[in-house]
Amino acid sequence: MICENHTRVTEFILLGFTNNLEMQVSLFILFLVIYTVTLLGNFLIITVTSVDSALQTPMYFFLRNLSLLEVCFTLVMVPKMLVDLVSPRKIISFVGCGIQMYFFFFFGSSECFLLSMMAYDRFVAIGNPLRYSVIMNRSLCLWMALGSWMSGVPVSMLQTAWLMALPFCGPNTIDHFFCDGPPVLKLVTQDTTMYEMQALASTLLFIMFPFSLILVSYTRIIITILRMSSATGRQKAFSTCSSHLIVVSLFYGTASLTYLRPKSNQSPESKKLVSLSYTVITPMLNPIIYSLRNNEVKGAVKRTFTQKVLQKLDVF
């Protein structure tokens, strides 16, 4: 469809959260602190799991990939959001909107599959501990991580190319704080039934399929744990999975509210809060969850900082 008697949209206006100047400044400070904590926490996980010899296992290899994904995921949206909070013109170009949407879908889909790979890793560790190092060898881990990263390519290309090729001939105001699929879809000036059907199918494939793999893995994990005769063994097994379960619940619980119903009747404000939870809050909480609930990570952090302090003392 060609935009007859109308000019095709070349840029979008992001409404963000509020027009109140004082509230914008407060939100800028809050999100800047959250973003700083997110970067520091995830880079700390990446550094510690890379340099500490005790953490050179598949579990921490996947955790390192998850932290890197979280850094990239937030980089797509948060810096632009911070700029818009202190800028009088909250503008994003049509091409810029498409690029932001592509990488948002890419990193989001990749995280879904990476979380399922982490669940499988825990299943092998608990269900077959004697052969864990043989099954989860370095080569398999690399292929699993690479597959998780690359899984985001097809869905992000399809979703973005299809949506941005639709006609945008009327309003250009996005009632959101970034170029997400559902709010941009509302600006399309033709019937979007076919796209919505495709978007739902993609959601089921790239969100619910990995989630199904996680459910299968944890079902078998629970069965294995319940068969253990030792109460200490059951407690240790549950503790190794608890952090991952919390992360999965936070990510999937909030993302499914948005993408299983792309044109739901939720208010724009509630949709923004839901989006904030998995785009800003969850990436900040992940390193906190994994560090506070994991004695190995806490021990590695202490060893790393102790070594750095000792090295500096040796210099003097």
Side-chain angles (χ1 to χ4, degrees):
M1 174 181 173
I2 301 174
C3 297
E4 297 178 359
N5 301 323
H6 293 279
T7 302
R8 184 175 175 86
V9 169
T10 58
E11 63 182 20
F12 294 104
I13 301 171
L14 295 167
L15 289 184
F17 300 98
T18 178
N19 290 323
N20 184 285
L21 184 59
E22 292 183 358
M23 183 65 71
Q24 287 179 350
V25 173
S26 300
L27 288 175
F28 174 83
I29 296 172
L30 173 64
F31 292 141
L32 180 61
V33 171
I34 291 175
Y35 187 49
T36 302
V37 172
T38 300
L39 293 180
L40 291 175
N42 283 290
F43 277 123
L44 178 63
I45 293 291
I46 293 171
T47 303
V48 169
T49 57
S50 297
V51 302
D52 193 277
S53 58
L55 301 185
Q56 304 307 306
T57 63
M59 174 182 174
Y60 296 108
F61 169 76
F62 290 121
L63 178 56
R64 183 161 61 247
N65 276 267
L66 178 63
S67 290
L68 181 58
L69 258 177
E70 297 289 27
V71 171
C72 297
F73 192 55
T74 54
L75 186 63
V76 173
M77 295 153 295
V78 179
K80 171 62 176 171
M81 180 181 69
L82 291 173
V83 171
D84 286 345
L85 282 171
V86 294
S87 174
R89 297 184 74 249
K90 301 169 176 56
I91 301 294
I92 186 169
S93 68
F94 186 86
V95 174
C97 183
I99 292 173
Q100 187 182 57
M101 187 183 301
Y102 171 84
F103 283 107
F104 172 73
F105 286 143
F106 172 78
F107 292 122
S109 301
S110 299
E111 183 163 343
C112 289
F113 278 90
L114 183 61
L115 289 172
S116 68
M117 296 300 103
M118 296 174 75
Y120 176 75
D121 169 70
R122 291 298 83 208
F123 161 66
V124 176
I126 294 172
N128 205 342
L130 297 179
R131 301 189 65 236
Y132 175 63
S133 59
V134 176
I135 297 173
M136 298 300 295
N137 57 71
R138 181 176 178 80
S139 177
L140 178 62
C141 290
L142 288 172
W143 279 111
M144 289 171 68
L146 180 62
S148 298
W149 282 86
M150 290 299 101
S151 66
V153 173
V155 66
S156 55
M157 289 187 67
L158 176 62
Q159 295 270 52
T160 306
W162 191 335
L163 179 53
M164 301 309 285
L166 295 173
F168 293 86
C169 309
N172 68 333
T173 301
I174 301 174
D175 195 0
H176 210 43
F177 60 92
F178 72 100
C179 285
D180 196 3
V184 174
L185 184 64
K186 291 183 177 181
L187 304 182
V188 175
T189 49
Q190 76 170 35
D191 181 66
T192 59
T193 303
M194 288 297 295
Y195 177 83
E196 290 178 60
M197 293 174 61
Q198 172 275 137
L200 180 59
S202 297
T203 299
L204 292 174
L205 178 61
F206 288 93
I207 293 183
M208 300 313 296
F209 176 67
F211 184 65
S212 299
L213 295 178
I214 294 172
L215 286 180
V216 171
S217 296
Y218 273 104
T219 299
R220 300 192 65 178
I221 287 173
I222 292 172
I223 293 172
T224 302
I225 292 175
L226 292 177
R227 288 175 178 172
M228 292 180 178
S229 57
S230 170
T232 304
R234 287 196 298 268
Q235 183 179 1
K236 184 177 180 181
F238 271 121
S239 66
T240 61
C241 301
S242 58
S243 297
H244 183 254
L245 276 172
I246 294 172
V247 170
V248 168
S249 300
L250 287 171
F251 184 79
Y252 275 97
T254 52
S256 60
L257 292 175
T258 299
Y259 296 101
L260 288 179
R261 298 185 301 166
K263 274 196 171 181
S264 66
N265 293 322
Q266 285 181 308
S267 67
E269 288 72 24
S270 63
K271 290 181 180 179
K272 291 173 190 177
L273 289 175
V274 171
S275 297
L276 265 179
S277 63
Y278 65 82
T279 59
V280 179
I281 306 300
T282 301
M284 177 192 69
L285 293 178
N286 284 354
I288 297 174
I289 292 169
Y290 274 102
S291 59
L292 291 180
R293 298 183 61 87
N294 191 308
N295 291 327
E296 290 181 333
V297 173
K298 288 190 287 187
V301 170
K302 291 178 182 178
R303 287 193 297 271
T304 301
F305 278 100
T306 300
Q307 290 174 0
K308 294 294 182 181
V309 172
L310 290 176
Q311 288 175 359
K312 289 184 177 180
L313 290 176
D314 289 340
V315 172
F316 292 105

